[in-house]
Amino acid sequence: MRARDDRVGLNVRAPTVNPPRHPLWGRNEEGYSEDPKPTSAIATASTRGLRGEHPAYRRTAPVLKHWPTHADATGRDVTSSSVHPRVPHEYGLRAFRETVEAGATAGMMPAYNLVNGRPNHVPPSLREHLRTRTDEEPLVRSDAGAPSTLVDSEHCFETHEEATAAALPAGVDSCTDHGTDSSEITARVRGAPQRGLLTEPDVDAAVRRRLSVRFRLGEFDPEDDPPALTTACDTPDHRALAQEAAGQAVAPLKNSGGLLPLVPGIRLAVVGPLADACELDWCSGTPPHRCTPLTGLTERFGSERVRFAEGVRFAEGLDRILLKTSAGTFLHVPGVPTPRAPDGRRLSVAGDGPVLASADQPGGRVVQETFRPEPHENGHLLRHIGTGRPLSVAADGLKVAEGNGEIFEDPASPGPRSTSSVSRPAGPTTHVTLGRAGSRSAVMCGSSKRFARPSSRSEEPFTQQEG
């Protein structure tokens, strides 16, 4: 993979060992268990698998995350979690500590947030809980862009040189910042000693730990390439072990009437809009196979004994309105907050600003597939949540706006109607309108035309329809 993309490395930012204690945390699917004991056991097994069994070299260098506690995905680089000193010692840090003591991890990655007002990237307790519990030289690498947040968003330091001078002695060895451009970080590391903020031994210690990991990965012995020795992947034994681990991590809260385990011959009703969904996010990786609850139960008990009902749909599929542009055309954007094109693909904002129906599902480090309608003057703005910018209708298609966005009018509607009664327009393109809870529904029929776009792009474009 590195031959195809020079951003790919052997330092793996995984596993997540924060116990997913609260259901409102937005990344619970990354955790293993609410209990730190099974979390640590599974994390240890995971890091050993990532490390490999070679006696001298490591296959990869996994780092545990997110130190010391992390359960806030919104505003995570500016929020401070109030944590009693007893809580991490008895709960959150236990999963880290026991995995480190097992000797399988290469190091640690701090969290973006602050704890009790102190940024986690200038951690006061890192030596105590990491480097005193292992005989190796564990690496501490920053989360992506986190060194800059110490100045840019957290405002804990006046300059980046001061932030770097605080982070390195505190134990952060590798600053992951500015993508593949290392010039910014190296300039800060050089500038801090010149100002008397950082000593050469501090820099030497960080360099030594980084080189130590690279030696263990065999980077300086290319003739002995540990990853090249690995051929088996996704074998039946691997799948069986993954299934066993997932099963043991589940903690049933109630088993009325001894329903579980399900016995052969039972008839089942599977109800809910997520019964046949397998949701992934930025940190989910690319699973070699997927199995939804509905698929698994059907394969186990047979389709004749499993009945599925979607049940109550999400709000995005219930109430729909039509938004009209100032030019008199109607914008058809199906669903909120993740609108879809007629072929089912989700609308996403590309790097240069155009909105294209190109995503199979929401994802990415910053989700680009979510939008929010906002009342504005006599209509609505449609704001892209990922960039915080409203949409505008340009000559070459729909884009996120640099300044003020397009104001979409609410056209007159024939009154409340259920989605089942909303008609579909005739013609080659099926139009569905923007969803918004509590709105009256309307669908316009007539001749349609597509927004212009470069011919090299194959994504389904937005459609607009003459009013």
Side-chain angles (χ1 to χ4, degrees), residues 403-439:
N404 297 326
E406 181 83 21
I407 299 176
F408 300 103
E409 302 174 9
D410 285 333
S413 171
R417 299 162 64 187
S418 67
T419 50
S420 59
S421 66
V422 175
S423 61
R424 302 282 186 178
T429 304
T430 300
H431 303 292
V432 188
T433 57
L434 174 67
R436 183 163 62 88
S439 301

PDB file of all heavy atoms in Angstrom, residues 403-439:
ATOM      1  N   GLY A 403     -19.379  33.021   0.499  1.00  0.00           N
ATOM      2  CA  GLY A 403     -20.017  34.054   1.324  1.00  0.00           C
ATOM      3  C   GLY A 403     -21.447  33.665   1.637  1.00  0.00           C
ATOM      4  O   GLY A 403     -21.717  32.627   2.235  1.00  0.00           O
ATOM      5  N   ASN A 404     -22.396  34.496   1.195  1.00  0.00           N
ATOM      6  CA  ASN A 404     -23.797  34.219   1.435  1.00  0.00           C
ATOM      7  C   ASN A 404     -24.275  33.108   0.510  1.00  0.00           C
ATOM      8  O   ASN A 404     -23.920  33.057  -0.661  1.00  0.00           O
ATOM      9  CB  ASN A 404     -24.638  35.467   1.219  1.00  0.00           C
ATOM     10  CG  ASN A 404     -24.278  36.564   2.207  1.00  0.00           C
ATOM     11  OD1 ASN A 404     -23.925  36.265   3.352  1.00  0.00           O
ATOM     12  ND2 ASN A 404     -24.350  37.802   1.775  1.00  0.00           N
ATOM     13  N   GLY A 405     -25.102  32.230   1.034  1.00  0.00           N
ATOM     14  CA  GLY A 405     -25.605  31.127   0.233  1.00  0.00           C
ATOM     15  C   GLY A 405     -26.904  31.467  -0.462  1.00  0.00           C
ATOM     16  O   GLY A 405     -27.460  32.570  -0.320  1.00  0.00           O
ATOM     17  N   GLU A 406     -27.399  30.509  -1.227  1.00  0.00           N
ATOM     18  CA  GLU A 406     -28.674  30.660  -1.922  1.00  0.00           C
ATOM     19  C   GLU A 406     -29.803  30.607  -0.904  1.00  0.00           C
ATOM     20  O   GLU A 406     -29.826  29.752  -0.017  1.00  0.00           O
ATOM     21  CB  GLU A 406     -28.831  29.521  -2.933  1.00  0.00           C
ATOM     22  CG  GLU A 406     -30.103  29.575  -3.741  1.00  0.00           C
ATOM     23  CD  GLU A 406     -29.982  30.517  -4.927  1.00  0.00           C
ATOM     24  OE1 GLU A 406     -28.844  30.815  -5.344  1.00  0.00           O
ATOM     25  OE2 GLU A 406     -31.028  30.945  -5.431  1.00  0.00           O
ATOM     26  N   ILE A 407     -30.750  31.525  -1.029  1.00  0.00           N
ATOM     27  CA  ILE A 407     -31.934  31.501  -0.170  1.00  0.00           C
ATOM     28  C   ILE A 407     -33.025  30.755  -0.910  1.00  0.00           C
ATOM     29  O   ILE A 407     -33.494  31.191  -1.960  1.00  0.00           O
ATOM     30  CB  ILE A 407     -32.404  32.923   0.186  1.00  0.00           C
ATOM     31  CG1 ILE A 407     -31.298  33.660   0.941  1.00  0.00           C
ATOM     32  CG2 ILE A 407     -33.681  32.865   1.021  1.00  0.00           C
ATOM     33  CD1 ILE A 407     -31.633  35.103   1.239  1.00  0.00           C
ATOM     34  N   PHE A 408     -33.421  29.616  -0.378  1.00  0.00           N
ATOM     35  CA  PHE A 408     -34.449  28.806  -0.995  1.00  0.00           C
ATOM     36  C   PHE A 408     -35.798  29.173  -0.405  1.00  0.00           C
ATOM     37  O   PHE A 408     -35.978  29.192   0.814  1.00  0.00           O
ATOM     38  CB  PHE A 408     -34.159  27.320  -0.777  1.00  0.00           C
ATOM     39  CG  PHE A 408     -32.836  26.875  -1.354  1.00  0.00           C
ATOM     40  CD1 PHE A 408     -31.745  26.660  -0.536  1.00  0.00           C
ATOM     41  CD2 PHE A 408     -32.704  26.689  -2.710  1.00  0.00           C
ATOM     42  CE1 PHE A 408     -30.533  26.252  -1.062  1.00  0.00           C
ATOM     43  CE2 PHE A 408     -31.492  26.286  -3.247  1.00  0.00           C
ATOM     44  CZ  PHE A 408     -30.404  26.068  -2.431  1.00  0.00           C
ATOM     45  N   GLU A 409     -36.752  29.428  -1.273  1.00  0.00           N
ATOM     46  CA  GLU A 409     -38.087  29.796  -0.825  1.00  0.00           C
ATOM     47  C   GLU A 409     -38.891  28.547  -0.522  1.00  0.00           C
ATOM     48  O   GLU A 409     -38.672  27.486  -1.096  1.00  0.00           O
ATOM     49  CB  GLU A 409     -38.794  30.613  -1.906  1.00  0.00           C
ATOM     50  CG  GLU A 409     -38.051  31.883  -2.308  1.00  0.00           C
ATOM     51  CD  GLU A 409     -38.713  32.566  -3.482  1.00  0.00           C
ATOM     52  OE1 GLU A 409     -39.825  32.151  -3.847  1.00  0.00           O
ATOM     53  OE2 GLU A 409     -38.112  33.504  -4.025  1.00  0.00           O
ATOM     54  N   ASP A 410     -39.851  28.712   0.398  1.00  0.00           N
ATOM     55  CA  ASP A 410     -40.804  27.642   0.666  1.00  0.00           C
ATOM     56  C   ASP A 410     -42.002  27.846  -0.239  1.00  0.00           C
ATOM     57  O   ASP A 410     -42.816  28.748   0.000  1.00  0.00           O
ATOM     58  CB  ASP A 410     -41.271  27.674   2.126  1.00  0.00           C
ATOM     59  CG  ASP A 410     -40.211  27.151   3.062  1.00  0.00           C
ATOM     60  OD1 ASP A 410     -39.390  26.338   2.614  1.00  0.00           O
ATOM     61  OD2 ASP A 410     -40.210  27.563   4.221  1.00  0.00           O
ATOM     62  N   PRO A 411     -42.179  27.060  -1.290  1.00  0.00           N
ATOM     63  CA  PRO A 411     -43.319  27.252  -2.171  1.00  0.00           C
ATOM     64  C   PRO A 411     -44.604  26.811  -1.503  1.00  0.00           C
ATOM     65  O   PRO A 411     -44.609  26.075  -0.533  1.00  0.00           O
ATOM     66  CB  PRO A 411     -42.983  26.355  -3.359  1.00  0.00           C
ATOM     67  CG  PRO A 411     -42.141  25.277  -2.781  1.00  0.00           C
ATOM     68  CD  PRO A 411     -41.340  25.936  -1.692  1.00  0.00           C
ATOM     69  N   ALA A 412     -45.712  27.294  -2.055  1.00  0.00           N
ATOM     70  CA  ALA A 412     -47.009  26.916  -1.507  1.00  0.00           C
ATOM     71  C   ALA A 412     -47.185  25.415  -1.631  1.00  0.00           C
ATOM     72  O   ALA A 412     -46.811  24.798  -2.619  1.00  0.00           O
ATOM     73  CB  ALA A 412     -48.123  27.625  -2.265  1.00  0.00           C
ATOM     74  N   SER A 413     -47.737  24.821  -0.613  1.00  0.00           N
ATOM     75  CA  SER A 413     -47.920  23.377  -0.586  1.00  0.00           C
ATOM     76  C   SER A 413     -49.392  23.065  -0.476  1.00  0.00           C
ATOM     77  O   SER A 413     -50.158  23.818   0.111  1.00  0.00           O
ATOM     78  CB  SER A 413     -47.158  22.796   0.606  1.00  0.00           C
ATOM     79  OG  SER A 413     -47.479  21.438   0.773  1.00  0.00           O
ATOM     80  N   PRO A 414     -49.833  21.952  -1.038  1.00  0.00           N
ATOM     81  CA  PRO A 414     -51.251  21.612  -0.978  1.00  0.00           C
ATOM     82  C   PRO A 414     -51.724  21.195   0.403  1.00  0.00           C
ATOM     83  O   PRO A 414     -52.890  20.945   0.598  1.00  0.00           O
ATOM     84  CB  PRO A 414     -51.358  20.442  -1.958  1.00  0.00           C
ATOM     85  CG  PRO A 414     -49.998  19.845  -1.992  1.00  0.00           C
ATOM     86  CD  PRO A 414     -49.057  20.997  -1.833  1.00  0.00           C
ATOM     87  N   GLY A 415     -50.831  21.147   1.392  1.00  0.00           N
ATOM     88  CA  GLY A 415     -51.257  20.793   2.727  1.00  0.00           C
ATOM     89  C   GLY A 415     -50.611  19.512   3.192  1.00  0.00           C
ATOM     90  O   GLY A 415     -49.889  18.855   2.441  1.00  0.00           O
ATOM     91  N   PRO A 416     -50.854  19.140   4.456  1.00  0.00           N
ATOM     92  CA  PRO A 416     -50.198  17.952   5.000  1.00  0.00           C
ATOM     93  C   PRO A 416     -50.577  16.698   4.225  1.00  0.00           C
ATOM     94  O   PRO A 416     -51.726  16.455   3.908  1.00  0.00           O
ATOM     95  CB  PRO A 416     -50.728  17.901   6.439  1.00  0.00           C
ATOM     96  CG  PRO A 416     -51.199  19.280   6.732  1.00  0.00           C
ATOM     97  CD  PRO A 416     -51.696  19.822   5.425  1.00  0.00           C
ATOM     98  N   ARG A 417     -49.569  15.912   3.916  1.00  0.00           N
ATOM     99  CA  ARG A 417     -49.779  14.627   3.263  1.00  0.00           C
ATOM    100  C   ARG A 417     -48.742  13.660   3.781  1.00  0.00           C
ATOM    101  O   ARG A 417     -47.622  14.030   4.080  1.00  0.00           O
ATOM    102  CB  ARG A 417     -49.624  14.760   1.732  1.00  0.00           C
ATOM    103  CG  ARG A 417     -50.602  15.705   1.092  1.00  0.00           C
ATOM    104  CD  ARG A 417     -50.133  16.109  -0.287  1.00  0.00           C
ATOM    105  NE  ARG A 417     -50.089  14.958  -1.180  1.00  0.00           N
ATOM    106  CZ  ARG A 417     -49.588  15.010  -2.411  1.00  0.00           C
ATOM    107  NH1 ARG A 417     -49.082  16.126  -2.867  1.00  0.00           N
ATOM    108  NH2 ARG A 417     -49.582  13.925  -3.167  1.00  0.00           N
ATOM    109  N   SER A 418     -49.097  12.419   3.883  1.00  0.00           N
ATOM    110  CA  SER A 418     -48.120  11.427   4.310  1.00  0.00           C
ATOM    111  C   SER A 418     -47.207  11.084   3.152  1.00  0.00           C
ATOM    112  O   SER A 418     -47.544  11.311   1.986  1.00  0.00           O
ATOM    113  CB  SER A 418     -48.850  10.158   4.790  1.00  0.00           C
ATOM    114  OG  SER A 418     -49.502   9.544   3.703  1.00  0.00           O
ATOM    115  N   THR A 419     -46.063  10.524   3.459  1.00  0.00           N
ATOM    116  CA  THR A 419     -45.116  10.203   2.394  1.00  0.00           C
ATOM    117  C   THR A 419     -45.674   9.154   1.449  1.00  0.00           C
ATOM    118  O   THR A 419     -45.316   9.116   0.281  1.00  0.00           O
ATOM    119  CB  THR A 419     -43.801   9.683   2.996  1.00  0.00           C
ATOM    120  OG1 THR A 419     -44.107   8.662   3.949  1.00  0.00           O
ATOM    121  CG2 THR A 419     -43.039  10.792   3.657  1.00  0.00           C
ATOM    122  N   SER A 420     -46.569   8.326   1.944  1.00  0.00           N
ATOM    123  CA  SER A 420     -47.112   7.297   1.075  1.00  0.00           C
ATOM    124  C   SER A 420     -47.987   7.879  -0.020  1.00  0.00           C
ATOM    125  O   SER A 420     -48.218   7.248  -1.049  1.00  0.00           O
ATOM    126  CB  SER A 420     -47.922   6.286   1.906  1.00  0.00           C
ATOM    127  OG  SER A 420     -48.981   6.959   2.576  1.00  0.00           O
ATOM    128  N   SER A 421     -48.482   9.112   0.189  1.00  0.00           N
ATOM    129  CA  SER A 421     -49.370   9.710  -0.799  1.00  0.00           C
ATOM    130  C   SER A 421     -48.648  10.669  -1.732  1.00  0.00           C
ATOM    131  O   SER A 421     -49.253  11.221  -2.632  1.00  0.00           O
ATOM    132  CB  SER A 421     -50.501  10.469  -0.090  1.00  0.00           C
ATOM    133  OG  SER A 421     -49.966  11.578   0.616  1.00  0.00           O
ATOM    134  N   VAL A 422     -47.343  10.876  -1.501  1.00  0.00           N
ATOM    135  CA  VAL A 422     -46.594  11.776  -2.363  1.00  0.00           C
ATOM    136  C   VAL A 422     -46.347  11.095  -3.700  1.00  0.00           C
ATOM    137  O   VAL A 422     -45.788  10.010  -3.768  1.00  0.00           O
ATOM    138  CB  VAL A 422     -45.248  12.179  -1.723  1.00  0.00           C
ATOM    139  CG1 VAL A 422     -44.433  13.021  -2.689  1.00  0.00           C
ATOM    140  CG2 VAL A 422     -45.509  12.961  -0.449  1.00  0.00           C
ATOM    141  N   SER A 423     -46.764  11.742  -4.773  1.00  0.00           N
ATOM    142  CA  SER A 423     -46.634  11.129  -6.090  1.00  0.00           C
ATOM    143  C   SER A 423     -45.229  11.317  -6.634  1.00  0.00           C
ATOM    144  O   SER A 423     -44.507  12.219  -6.222  1.00  0.00           O
ATOM    145  CB  SER A 423     -47.653  11.742  -7.048  1.00  0.00           C
ATOM    146  OG  SER A 423     -47.412  13.137  -7.168  1.00  0.00           O
ATOM    147  N   ARG A 424     -44.851  10.497  -7.568  1.00  0.00           N
ATOM    148  CA  ARG A 424     -43.567  10.591  -8.235  1.00  0.00           C
ATOM    149  C   ARG A 424     -43.772  11.209  -9.615  1.00  0.00           C
ATOM    150  O   ARG A 424     -44.699  10.840 -10.331  1.00  0.00           O
ATOM    151  CB  ARG A 424     -42.943   9.204  -8.405  1.00  0.00           C
ATOM    152  CG  ARG A 424     -42.749   8.468  -7.085  1.00  0.00           C
ATOM    153  CD  ARG A 424     -41.546   9.001  -6.357  1.00  0.00           C
ATOM    154  NE  ARG A 424     -41.265   8.206  -5.168  1.00  0.00           N
ATOM    155  CZ  ARG A 424     -40.247   8.424  -4.369  1.00  0.00           C
ATOM    156  NH1 ARG A 424     -39.429   9.416  -4.614  1.00  0.00           N
ATOM    157  NH2 ARG A 424     -40.053   7.668  -3.315  1.00  0.00           N
ATOM    158  N   PRO A 425     -42.909  12.130 -10.015  1.00  0.00           N
ATOM    159  CA  PRO A 425     -43.073  12.722 -11.330  1.00  0.00           C
ATOM    160  C   PRO A 425     -42.706  11.745 -12.433  1.00  0.00           C
ATOM    161  O   PRO A 425     -41.856  10.880 -12.256  1.00  0.00           O
ATOM    162  CB  PRO A 425     -42.100  13.908 -11.307  1.00  0.00           C
ATOM    163  CG  PRO A 425     -41.052  13.497 -10.334  1.00  0.00           C
ATOM    164  CD  PRO A 425     -41.766  12.691  -9.284  1.00  0.00           C
ATOM    165  N   ALA A 426     -43.378  11.903 -13.563  1.00  0.00           N
ATOM    166  CA  ALA A 426     -43.064  11.062 -14.707  1.00  0.00           C
ATOM    167  C   ALA A 426     -41.769  11.519 -15.346  1.00  0.00           C
ATOM    168  O   ALA A 426     -41.356  12.664 -15.194  1.00  0.00           O
ATOM    169  CB  ALA A 426     -44.207  11.137 -15.723  1.00  0.00           C
ATOM    170  N   GLY A 427     -41.115  10.643 -16.087  1.00  0.00           N
ATOM    171  CA  GLY A 427     -39.893  11.027 -16.771  1.00  0.00           C
ATOM    172  C   GLY A 427     -38.733  10.166 -16.354  1.00  0.00           C
ATOM    173  O   GLY A 427     -38.850   9.294 -15.489  1.00  0.00           O
ATOM    174  N   PRO A 428     -37.579  10.404 -16.928  1.00  0.00           N
ATOM    175  CA  PRO A 428     -36.415   9.545 -16.681  1.00  0.00           C
ATOM    176  C   PRO A 428     -35.801   9.727 -15.320  1.00  0.00           C
ATOM    177  O   PRO A 428     -35.064   8.888 -14.864  1.00  0.00           O
ATOM    178  CB  PRO A 428     -35.439   9.961 -17.784  1.00  0.00           C
ATOM    179  CG  PRO A 428     -35.804  11.387 -18.087  1.00  0.00           C
ATOM    180  CD  PRO A 428     -37.288  11.449 -17.930  1.00  0.00           C
ATOM    181  N   THR A 429     -36.060  10.851 -14.632  1.00  0.00           N
ATOM    182  CA  THR A 429     -35.431  11.110 -13.346  1.00  0.00           C
ATOM    183  C   THR A 429     -36.491  11.177 -12.261  1.00  0.00           C
ATOM    184  O   THR A 429     -37.491  11.875 -12.405  1.00  0.00           O
ATOM    185  CB  THR A 429     -34.651  12.432 -13.374  1.00  0.00           C
ATOM    186  OG1 THR A 429     -33.710  12.384 -14.432  1.00  0.00           O
ATOM    187  CG2 THR A 429     -33.933  12.652 -12.057  1.00  0.00           C
ATOM    188  N   THR A 430     -36.277  10.450 -11.157  1.00  0.00           N
ATOM    189  CA  THR A 430     -37.190  10.504 -10.023  1.00  0.00           C
ATOM    190  C   THR A 430     -36.719  11.577  -9.070  1.00  0.00           C
ATOM    191  O   THR A 430     -35.580  11.564  -8.634  1.00  0.00           O
ATOM    192  CB  THR A 430     -37.229   9.147  -9.297  1.00  0.00           C
ATOM    193  OG1 THR A 430     -37.663   8.145 -10.213  1.00  0.00           O
ATOM    194  CG2 THR A 430     -38.163   9.203  -8.113  1.00  0.00           C
ATOM    195  N   HIS A 431     -37.597  12.513  -8.734  1.00  0.00           N
ATOM    196  CA  HIS A 431     -37.232  13.619  -7.869  1.00  0.00           C
ATOM    197  C   HIS A 431     -37.849  13.428  -6.494  1.00  0.00           C
ATOM    198  O   HIS A 431     -39.034  13.130  -6.368  1.00  0.00           O
ATOM    199  CB  HIS A 431     -37.733  14.945  -8.454  1.00  0.00           C
ATOM    200  CG  HIS A 431     -37.225  15.211  -9.828  1.00  0.00           C
ATOM    201  ND1 HIS A 431     -35.907  15.475 -10.101  1.00  0.00           N
ATOM    202  CD2 HIS A 431     -37.870  15.220 -11.022  1.00  0.00           C
ATOM    203  CE1 HIS A 431     -35.753  15.656 -11.396  1.00  0.00           C
ATOM    204  NE2 HIS A 431     -36.927  15.502 -11.979  1.00  0.00           N
ATOM    205  N   VAL A 432     -37.046  13.577  -5.476  1.00  0.00           N
ATOM    206  CA  VAL A 432     -37.533  13.561  -4.106  1.00  0.00           C
ATOM    207  C   VAL A 432     -37.101  14.867  -3.476  1.00  0.00           C
ATOM    208  O   VAL A 432     -36.041  15.399  -3.791  1.00  0.00           O
ATOM    209  CB  VAL A 432     -36.966  12.374  -3.305  1.00  0.00           C
ATOM    210  CG1 VAL A 432     -37.630  12.284  -1.953  1.00  0.00           C
ATOM    211  CG2 VAL A 432     -37.146  11.083  -4.085  1.00  0.00           C
ATOM    212  N   THR A 433     -37.890  15.418  -2.580  1.00  0.00           N
ATOM    213  CA  THR A 433     -37.617  16.762  -2.092  1.00  0.00           C
ATOM    214  C   THR A 433     -36.906  16.754  -0.765  1.00  0.00           C
ATOM    215  O   THR A 433     -36.826  15.740  -0.088  1.00  0.00           O
ATOM    216  CB  THR A 433     -38.934  17.544  -1.969  1.00  0.00           C
ATOM    217  OG1 THR A 433     -39.812  16.818  -1.113  1.00  0.00           O
ATOM    218  CG2 THR A 433     -39.579  17.722  -3.320  1.00  0.00           C
ATOM    219  N   LEU A 434     -36.400  17.917  -0.396  1.00  0.00           N
ATOM    220  CA  LEU A 434     -35.659  18.080   0.844  1.00  0.00           C
ATOM    221  C   LEU A 434     -36.527  17.759   2.040  1.00  0.00           C
ATOM    222  O   LEU A 434     -37.652  18.235   2.153  1.00  0.00           O
ATOM    223  CB  LEU A 434     -35.138  19.511   0.945  1.00  0.00           C
ATOM    224  CG  LEU A 434     -34.451  19.893   2.243  1.00  0.00           C
ATOM    225  CD1 LEU A 434     -33.155  19.130   2.371  1.00  0.00           C
ATOM    226  CD2 LEU A 434     -34.204  21.377   2.287  1.00  0.00           C
ATOM    227  N   GLY A 435     -36.006  16.952   2.968  1.00  0.00           N
ATOM    228  CA  GLY A 435     -36.775  16.554   4.137  1.00  0.00           C
ATOM    229  C   GLY A 435     -36.567  17.499   5.302  1.00  0.00           C
ATOM    230  O   GLY A 435     -35.473  17.942   5.566  1.00  0.00           O
ATOM    231  N   ARG A 436     -37.632  17.822   5.999  1.00  0.00           N
ATOM    232  CA  ARG A 436     -37.517  18.641   7.201  1.00  0.00           C
ATOM    233  C   ARG A 436     -38.700  18.308   8.102  1.00  0.00           C
ATOM    234  O   ARG A 436     -39.855  18.345   7.674  1.00  0.00           O
ATOM    235  CB  ARG A 436     -37.517  20.132   6.855  1.00  0.00           C
ATOM    236  CG  ARG A 436     -37.318  21.029   8.070  1.00  0.00           C
ATOM    237  CD  ARG A 436     -36.922  22.425   7.611  1.00  0.00           C
ATOM    238  NE  ARG A 436     -37.933  23.046   6.803  1.00  0.00           N
ATOM    239  CZ  ARG A 436     -38.948  23.772   7.305  1.00  0.00           C
ATOM    240  NH1 ARG A 436     -39.062  23.928   8.593  1.00  0.00           N
ATOM    241  NH2 ARG A 436     -39.836  24.327   6.505  1.00  0.00           N
ATOM    242  N   ALA A 437     -38.428  17.952   9.334  1.00  0.00           N
ATOM    243  CA  ALA A 437     -39.484  17.528  10.246  1.00  0.00           C
ATOM    244  C   ALA A 437     -40.495  18.642  10.436  1.00  0.00           C
ATOM    245  O   ALA A 437     -40.161  19.806  10.571  1.00  0.00           O
ATOM    246  CB  ALA A 437     -38.897  17.119  11.594  1.00  0.00           C
ATOM    247  N   GLY A 438     -41.778  18.281  10.450  1.00  0.00           N
ATOM    248  CA  GLY A 438     -42.840  19.236  10.713  1.00  0.00           C
ATOM    249  C   GLY A 438     -43.270  20.038   9.512  1.00  0.00           C
ATOM    250  O   GLY A 438     -44.103  20.930   9.633  1.00  0.00           O
ATOM    251  N   SER A 439     -42.721  19.753   8.342  1.00  0.00           N
ATOM    252  CA  SER A 439     -43.067  20.529   7.162  1.00  0.00           C
ATOM    253  C   SER A 439     -44.194  19.864   6.393  1.00  0.00           C
ATOM    254  O   SER A 439     -44.456  18.682   6.516  1.00  0.00           O
ATOM    255  CB  SER A 439     -41.854  20.672   6.236  1.00  0.00           C
ATOM    256  OG  SER A 439     -40.798  21.302   6.895  1.00  0.00           O
TER     257      SER A 439
END
